[in-house]
Amino acid sequence: MFDKNKLGSHIHKLPAGYEIVPIDECVFHELPKHDWAEYHCSQFATFDEFQRYGLGYVVKFGDELICAASPYAYSDGMIDVQIDTVPAHQRKGIATACSASLILSCMDRGILPYWSADCDESRHLAEKLGYQLEKEFICYGIKS
């Protein structure tokens, strides 16, 4: 269902000054320190567990982490993708490029990157990446 060339073109459209990097041990421990990224990698107890079962990418702007794509959930041969971008850096193609990197890595590893769009923006991004709507569902959010 995915076009590798189209996904690659999204990565190449990343604006100047931004860099996509895999989640390494340093980034793994840095993500929970940011309100916008607190759930990225949170289901993995250790970096070793993340390396064994997960994968992910972040986008840096200088030394600042501004976007992350990682598994919200995982099971044998499948992940549920989550993507977040700092609001000041949204609408620049950054989430598209970061998500495309994650999807291509999933394809290389034989992992199905499942996408549950819980809002119109997420659905639009998913369709841009090559996903097709299977069915609509109602999503409820809990505010703390």
Side-chain angles (χ1 to χ4, degrees), residues 30-104:
E30 179 70 22
L31 283 169
K33 297 176 184 177
H34 301 277
D35 288 341
W36 65 269
E38 65 184 322
Y39 297 111
H40 287 273
C41 303
S42 65
Q43 66 281 23
F44 300 98
T46 64
F47 180 69
D48 289 336
E49 185 180 350
F50 175 78
Q51 280 187 303
R52 195 170 29 247
Y53 302 111
L55 68 158
Y57 289 86
V58 294
V59 177
K60 290 184 171 187
F61 185 70
D63 291 333
E64 181 185 4
L65 298 179
I66 55 94
C67 180
S70 69
Y72 180 73
Y74 66 93
S75 64
D76 189 31
M78 184 185 99
I79 65 166
D80 191 2
V81 176
Q82 69 175 335
I83 180 81
D84 289 289
T85 306
V86 171
H89 296 273
Q90 292 177 351
R91 312 298 301 163
K92 298 179 182 180
I94 295 161
T96 306
C98 195
S99 298
S101 296
L102 179 61
I103 293 166
L104 285 170

Side-chain angles (χ1 to χ4, degrees), residues 15-29:
Y18 294 93
E19 176 188 16
I20 299 173
V21 296
I23 295 175
D24 61 13
E25 188 166 9
C26 218
V27 170
F28 177 85
H29 294 294

Side-chain angles (χ1 to χ4, degrees), residues 7-20:
L7 290 170
S9 75
H10 290 308
I11 296 167
H12 294 298
K13 292 178 187 173
L14 189 69
Y18 294 93
E19 176 188 16
I20 299 173

